[in-house]
Amino acid sequence: MVIVTTIRRDVLTLPAAELGPDNPLPPLRPLDEPHRVEDRDGLPREMARQIGYEPLRSLLPVHVRDGYERVREPRALDTLVIENDRLRATVLPGLGGRIASLLHKPTGRELLYRNPVFQPAHFALNGAWFSGGIEWNIGATGHTTLACAPLHAARVTAPDGGEMLRLWEWERLRDLPFQVDLWLPEDSDFLYVGVRVRNPHEKPVPTYWWSNIAVPEERRVLAPADEAYHFGYERRLRRVPVPSYADVRQLPHAADYFYDLPAGRRRWIAALDEDGHGLVQTSTDVLRGRKLFVWGAGRGGRRWQEWLTEPGTGGYCEIQAGLARTQLEHVRLDAESEVAWLEAYGPLSCAPEAGEVEARLEAVLPRADVDAAYAAWRPYADSEPGETLATGSGWGALEVLRADWKMPGTPFDESTLGEEQEPWLHLLRVGSLPEPRRVRPPGGTLVAPHWRDMLETAPATPLTEYHLGVAQWHAGDRAQAVRSWERALELAPSVWPLLRCLAVADRQIDNHERAADRYAEAFDDLCRERRDAGELWTAATAALGREAIEALLAVRRTGQARTVWERLHPATRARGRFRFIEAGLLLAEGRRDAARAVFEEHFEVADLREGAEAVGRLWERVSDEPLPERYDFRMR
């Protein structure tokens, strides 16, 4: 048999914004997640239980990614291309393993929405995310923290003897390794995707998965369901009839429709154009949920479409598939167990009606063939990778070293350990955190119970007490965290990281005056300590300055807030986020006309959060006129 599937490296050049540095401050404040349900009455018992099952309350140990802007220049993105005679899939291993394009070669049709730009926006749980293609969402409700992060990638033998592309990483919010295997059987019109999530721990862990597929927004979306659960970003779910294509096109605001697929029905979702051509996704039954997301026809939705793509290039909607009926749920993954399934993506042409789609899908890819492909793949999920094609983070290697876990098929090799893991490797092997070689903002903190235990038994240096406090805060032991930070203050050569943590703690208990005092003192200390205007110090100054101004304005200390503003780097003050902060500062100083002038000069808050309404609220305070279209991001 001649194997015609190939995997090769390539480059995709796009107008792209730089990701910039991560925010170096630990994310201690409560998670601001717009996908929440406050009233679970009337929902099915299983759904209500899973909505309440250990929702994510903290981003730790992950840092926020907010260093990007909106200046786009041509940049080369590394890709991995897997293709046969029928399909070509272009994968971005450095950006969460996203499939940027799925081209049906005989017809020349692009089956996905292919974003013409790379523009990060604040949609991932930890900030930077971009639209388009097929993304793999693991972790917790929301877009994965790995959306703009590198994954490991390698060649592996496929079930038919050809080549398979394996992507894998360690998801840090839930401490779970996962893998995504992509292959194209000979002469196949369908890309097969085998997914496995493992729980190596001795206790159950909540898990979450949704495969999100962007398609052109004018497509008719069909699934085997008559009813759906509607979520309109108003923090409630309600059961409704599946909307018609005309209904969807007229929606004024963003909306999620989670299809209620009947038990026993085949799992699939399709998006077809007016001529009946488009994409179908199907899977084994474990991946039970299907969803449609649309931005809506209102001004806010149209503005978001432009924000995430490029004006005049057409919008997108998303069809999705997940482990639960809705994205607001987490499912239990038992101790030392795994969950796995197979997905298939390919072209479909038929009348855009659910019955026609199901019949045509069964003709071109029978349900039994998908189940058989899954069974054939399972023994290959443990196959050791061959040639390395891309490298992810060293966090998995650190965890494997700590617990001496065996991870067949997904090796987390010691060679991937880097500078970020170095102090934690020292703690693991020597029992102490090493003193930093130079003055710099502290790195990230590991907060899982086993790392917290190691910090508690390590020598109580100021740096150890700082990290211990962060881990205790994450565990919910707020009083002990404060005690750890206060102990560290007595001997710490650098006090601003500790003061900032204590200021956050003060705000949590509504002691806003003391929080403002500590923020002001922390910012003074940072400005004395910073060594240069390099990327790391600039990011720290911007992050701390932003929080300090907010805390000082909350207690009407506008003079001190102005002092913090003036000590920011000029390049920071010129960023859109800080122009917005400046407008708020001017308004607090009683300079309403000057605040309005900032709006009239035009700014773009690059890291505007999905669902955020702060820009519109501030406009209402500086002007009696309607909100200008360029600032209208309302999702409800």
Side-chain angles (χ1 to χ4, degrees):
M1 179 175 67
V2 177
I3 303 300
V4 296
T5 299
T6 61
I7 300 172
R8 58 184 169 84
R9 290 186 174 92
D10 206 342
V11 170
L12 175 64
T13 301
L14 293 176
E18 286 193 59
L19 277 170
D22 287 357
N23 185 325
L25 305 184
L28 301 177
R29 299 171 79 174
L31 193 67
D32 177 24
E33 172 52 49
H35 304 90
R36 295 201 306 272
V37 174
E38 295 178 348
D39 181 6
R40 299 199 289 272
D41 291 344
L43 297 178
R45 183 176 301 175
E46 180 193 40
M47 183 183 295
R49 183 178 67 251
Q50 291 186 161
I51 287 174
Y53 176 47
E54 295 195 35
L56 194 68
R57 292 182 173 85
S58 168
L59 277 178
L60 290 165
V62 177
H63 272 171
V64 172
R65 310 202 73 175
D66 61 2
Y68 52 87
E69 284 296 326
R70 293 186 57 79
V71 176
R72 296 193 287 265
E73 298 176 352
R75 303 183 198 278
L77 305 178
D78 290 333
T79 67
L80 298 171
V81 178
I82 177 170
E83 66 180 313
N84 64 4
D85 288 341
R86 312 290 297 176
L87 287 176
R88 179 187 303 132
T90 302
V91 179
L92 300 171
L95 295 169
R98 183 83 57 104
I99 298 180
S101 168
L102 186 61
L103 181 73
H104 186 230
K105 294 163 73 172
T107 61
R109 293 193 186 105
E110 174 60 60
L111 302 181
L112 307 175
Y113 173 78
R114 183 171 182 170
N115 199 331
V117 303
F118 171 69
Q119 177 56 63
H122 193 169
F123 278 64
L125 287 163
N126 64 329
W129 173 89
F130 65 107
S131 64
I134 306 172
E135 59 173 314
W136 318 114
N137 281 293
I138 181 173
T141 297
H143 292 280
T144 177
T145 62
L146 295 167
C148 290
L151 303 191
H152 301 283
R155 298 180 195 270
V156 186
T157 300
D160 63 359
E163 288 192 320
M164 182 161 64
L165 174 61
R166 174 163 300 160
L167 307 166
W168 73 98
E169 235 321 341
W170 197 277
E171 200 287 311
R172 301 180 67 205
L173 294 179
R174 302 299 196 184
D175 255 345
L176 299 177
F178 71 97
Q179 71 188 76
V180 179
D181 288 352
L182 301 97
W183 77 101
L184 288 164
E186 184 178 1
D187 295 328
S188 174
D189 270 333
F190 284 84
L191 173 69
Y192 286 171
V193 182
V195 183
R196 175 167 64 167
V197 181
R198 288 189 273 198
N199 176 14
H201 304 284
E202 296 177 348
K203 61 173 184 168
V205 175
T207 192
Y208 170 96
W209 183 281
W210 282 80
S211 301
N212 289 9
I213 309 136
V215 294
E217 69 173 337
E218 69 274 8
R219 298 278 169 93
R220 293 175 182 266
V221 174
L222 303 131
D226 296 320
E227 294 187 305
Y229 289 91
H230 171 264
F231 181 75
Y233 295 82
E234 296 165 336
R235 297 179 183 171
R236 67 190 181 103
L237 273 174
R238 56 191 179 93
R239 192 178 177 93
V240 299
V242 167
S244 69
Y245 175 69
D247 291 338
V248 169
R249 296 293 290 168
Q250 294 171 15
L251 287 169
H253 300 295
D256 296 333
Y257 288 95
F258 299 101
Y259 295 100
D260 192 12
L261 276 61
R265 287 291 294 273
R266 184 175 185 179
R267 305 326 193 186
W268 61 266
I269 191 166
L272 306 180
D273 65 20
E274 59 183 7
D275 296 321
H277 304 303
L279 171 80
V280 65
Q281 186 270 2
T282 188
S283 71
T284 48
D285 289 352
V286 167
L287 204 66
R288 65 179 296 189
R290 292 299 186 274
K291 173 193 161 182
L292 164 66
F293 166 77
V294 294
W295 278 110
R299 286 205 325 177
R302 306 325 300 164
R303 185 69 180 108
W304 274 119
Q305 291 271 28
E306 293 180 348
W307 189 256
L308 295 169
T309 61
E310 186 84 343
T313 57
Y316 73 94
C317 63
E318 286 184 351
I319 57 175
Q320 307 179 11
L323 283 175
R325 272 189 284 189
T326 76
Q327 286 178 323
L328 309 166
E329 303 168 65
H330 299 98
V331 299
R332 174 187 168 111
L333 187 56
D334 288 333
E336 299 177 335
S337 71
E338 63 184 47
V339 60
W341 62 91
L342 183 113
E343 303 179 48
Y345 296 83
L348 199 74
S349 294
C350 68
E353 299 174 3
E356 294 288 337
V357 171
E358 190 149 29
R360 182 60 182 161
L361 175 60
E362 186 63 23
V364 297
L365 185 64
R367 185 177 188 178
D369 285 5
V370 174
D371 291 337
Y374 171 73
W377 166 71
R378 286 297 283 142
Y380 287 83
D382 284 344
S383 297
E384 288 306 304
E387 179 193 0
T388 297
L389 298 172
T391 303
S393 78
W395 296 115
L398 184 66
E399 293 299 332
V400 167
L401 272 175
R402 179 195 62 80
D404 194 28
W405 279 319
K406 308 303 178 188
M407 294 288 165
T410 55
F412 292 96
D413 194 83
E414 284 191 50
S415 64
T416 62
L417 292 166
E419 185 179 358
E420 288 182 297
Q421 293 81 41
E422 187 177 326
W424 301 97
L425 186 61
H426 192 277
L427 176 64
L428 178 65
R429 289 176 168 168
V430 181
S432 64
L433 281 178
E435 289 300 312
R437 299 185 188 126
R438 62 187 185 278
V439 175
R440 58 180 299 173
T445 303
L446 295 182
V447 297
H450 41 265
W451 293 105
R452 189 172 71 248
D453 291 345
M454 282 185 250
L455 289 168
E456 287 176 346
T457 58
T461 65
L463 182 62
T464 300
E465 294 280 21
Y466 163 80
H467 285 297
L468 175 58
V470 174
Q472 290 165 333
W473 182 270
H474 172 73
D477 193 349
R478 304 297 171 83
Q480 190 57 56
V482 168
R483 285 193 286 271
S484 295
W485 293 326
E486 288 176 340
R487 283 196 304 269
L489 272 178
E490 298 174 7
L491 297 174
S494 177
V495 298
W496 67 265
L498 297 158
L499 288 169
R500 181 264 176 178
C501 290
L502 290 167
V504 173
D506 286 334
R507 294 197 76 180
Q508 289 297 104
I509 60 173
D510 293 328
N511 193 337
H512 296 290
E513 287 289 350
R514 190 168 67 184
D517 289 340
R518 282 174 160 162
Y519 266 121
E521 186 180 350
F523 193 76
D524 284 345
D525 186 66
L526 169 59
C527 289
R528 285 192 298 267
E529 183 177 282
R530 65 187 181 192
R531 295 297 188 262
D532 52 48
E535 187 176 81
L536 185 59
W537 284 109
T538 299
T541 305
L544 184 58
R546 176 175 167 178
E547 290 186 15
I549 291 170
E550 179 185 342
L552 289 163
L553 290 180
V555 293
R556 303 182 185 279
R557 286 153 66 169
T558 55
Q560 284 182 285
R562 171 62 64 181
T563 299
V564 171
W565 168 263
E566 290 173 350
R567 296 173 77 182
L568 295 171
H569 293 96
T572 298
R573 293 199 299 266
R575 292 174 59 184
R577 163 61 66 180
F578 288 86
R579 296 304 315 281
F580 173 60
I581 291 171
E582 181 185 21
L585 176 57
L586 289 165
L587 186 63
E589 293 171 332
R591 301 160 65 185
R592 188 171 186 259
D593 290 344
R596 176 178 171 128
V598 174
F599 277 86
E600 292 171 347
E601 292 167 7
H602 296 168
F603 59 82
E604 292 186 321
V605 181
D607 62 328
L608 190 67
R609 180 72 169 129
E610 176 188 13
E613 298 173 351
V615 175
R617 288 197 298 268
L618 184 60
W619 171 261
E620 290 173 356
R621 297 174 62 200
V622 304
S623 175
D624 299 323
E625 298 176 11
L627 180 66
E629 188 171 343
R630 65 179 294 112
Y631 298 122
D632 190 348
F633 293 92
R634 288 172 290 194
M635 292 180 66
R636 57 178 179 169

